[in-house]
Amino acid sequence: MTLTVRDFRPSDARAVAELRRAAVPFLLSTPQGVAWEVATAPAAQRLRLFLAEREGRVVGAVRAVVVHDAAVPGQAAATPQVHPDHRGRGVGRALLTAAEEHLAAVGATRLHGWAVDGTGGSAFAERHGYRRTRQARFLRLDLTEAALPQLPSDLPPGVRLHPGTDFEADPRRLFEADTEASADVPGDVTIDAMAYEDWLRHTWEHPHHDPDLTSVATVDGEIASFALAFTDGRTRYSSDMTGTRRAFRGRGLARLAKTASLHRARDAGYTEAFTGNDADNAPMLALNQAFGYRPFAAEWRYVRPLGEG
């Protein structure tokens, strides 16, 4: 059967969402989200979403982007995602070739990707000259059975809990908190150049973001900690980012914000919660395990310079 690699078309959004749910079930994917990521991609990202098709069916996809807000220029990202029924048949190789050629042509010099444990992804990456760097762990919580901690009847002095909707008129303060907390997350690529307009468009206004479930803890009116909540609008809830500003760490405020968010998610009818952490992010892994999250999947980041065989 002939394999064709081509660019994404808006009519492909549902097929790509279904592919991603099969290939990476720990990540949220909806047709609305797929269409949004393509339609709103910043020009500097140089996004191309390549699809692999056999007999009219989408069997793989790769999102090839320049990481335009990285501290070090030239960084790029691309992770081929192949339907489990079509692995080992040249789909990933064809997608990776298309992504590498595009990114090299637009000036990227270093390409990062992820390989999910147990799928053959690590062997694939190493065969193609990629070097393993660090691990990410994905955890799942069954919200129908979880014994979530109760929110305290009396909050500490000066502390208030807010839904994200309280910041809809001006989310900039939340952007500033997210930027500060994200800078301290372990990783190979430091993101420190994100503009407010990019964050507003691609985090706050993302179709998966649910401001009702997002939770923010303030101390004397200043944002101290937050839990950004994303959902698929059906059964799945995901923690996009939970963080605390440096001056407020060590007070249990991240736990407080996430507790409030998880309770609201369960009350809204969500049955599964997912989260992902760098394997070296011991504080967040411990926090999530205390909530009852359990291991679901793991990925390894791989990297290689572009232009080298």
Side-chain angles (χ1 to χ4, degrees):
M1 294 183 288
T2 302
L3 179 69
T4 302
V5 174
R6 61 172 177 82
D7 282 293
F8 170 87
R9 297 188 290 258
S11 59
D12 296 317
R14 183 171 297 281
V16 174
E18 291 174 353
L19 165 73
R20 289 177 175 174
R21 283 197 290 267
V24 281
F26 46 88
L27 300 179
L28 294 183
S29 187
T30 67
Q32 296 87 349
V34 173
W36 181 269
E37 78 179 40
V38 175
T40 67
Q45 202 174 65
R46 307 303 292 266
L47 167 71
R48 287 183 75 180
L49 179 56
F50 294 103
L51 307 187
E53 194 173 59
R54 270 203 176 105
E55 294 189 335
R57 179 186 177 188
V58 173
V59 297
V62 63
R63 179 176 178 268
V65 296
V66 172
V67 187
H68 67 293
D69 48 5
V72 178
Q75 308 298 301
T79 299
Q81 295 165 340
V82 179
H83 193 283
D85 294 342
H86 291 264
R87 289 174 182 154
R89 298 163 64 182
V91 178
R93 181 176 64 251
L95 290 167
L96 183 61
T97 298
E100 288 178 340
E101 290 177 352
H102 162 63
L103 292 168
V106 299
T109 58
R110 192 171 177 83
L111 181 56
H112 300 259
W114 290 96
V116 181
D117 274 355
T119 65
S122 289
F124 171 85
E126 290 162 11
R127 283 198 307 272
H128 289 82
Y130 285 76
R131 176 179 57 85
R132 177 183 287 192
T133 60
R134 60 194 314 121
Q135 188 186 53
R137 298 176 185 172
F138 292 89
L139 310 176
R140 176 186 178 273
L141 177 66
D142 185 342
L143 286 173
T144 65
E145 297 183 357
L148 296 177
Q150 294 300 311
L151 287 167
S153 55
D154 294 312
L155 296 176
V159 175
R160 287 190 59 198
L161 279 173
H162 307 258
T165 50
D166 283 0
F167 299 87
E168 285 183 317
D170 182 14
R172 184 180 288 273
R173 292 169 59 207
L174 192 52
F175 158 74
E176 293 167 353
D178 190 4
T179 300
E180 180 179 319
S182 296
D184 295 335
V185 174
D188 291 324
V189 180
T190 301
I191 305 297
D192 69 350
M194 180 176 285
Y196 172 62
E197 291 73 19
D198 278 352
W199 179 91
L200 187 68
R201 187 72 164 154
H202 299 104
T203 297
W204 188 259
E205 295 177 351
H206 193 289
H208 293 167
H209 177 231
D210 190 326
D212 289 312
L213 304 186
T214 286
S215 183
V216 181
T218 60
V219 177
D220 297 327
E222 184 176 354
I223 292 179
S225 192
F226 60 91
L228 290 173
F230 277 36
T231 76
D232 65 359
R234 299 186 299 177
T235 61
R236 292 185 171 193
Y237 161 104
S238 178
S239 299
D240 184 66
M241 174 66 183
T242 299
T244 303
R245 303 190 81 160
R246 299 181 187 105
F248 298 97
R249 291 174 186 167
R251 305 188 196 182
L253 296 174
R255 175 183 173 87
L256 188 64
K258 192 157 188 175
T259 297
S261 182
L262 285 168
H263 274 286
R264 291 204 295 270
R266 182 160 67 182
D267 291 345
Y270 291 94
T271 59
E272 292 183 287
F274 289 89
T275 190
N277 303 112
D278 186 276
D280 291 336
N281 194 347
M284 282 307 304
L285 285 167
L287 175 64
N288 287 321
Q289 288 165 359
F291 278 114
Y293 282 87
R294 294 296 177 260
F296 185 81
E299 284 187 321
W300 286 95
R301 184 188 285 276
Y302 280 84
V303 62
R304 67 164 270 196
L306 281 178
E308 295 185 7

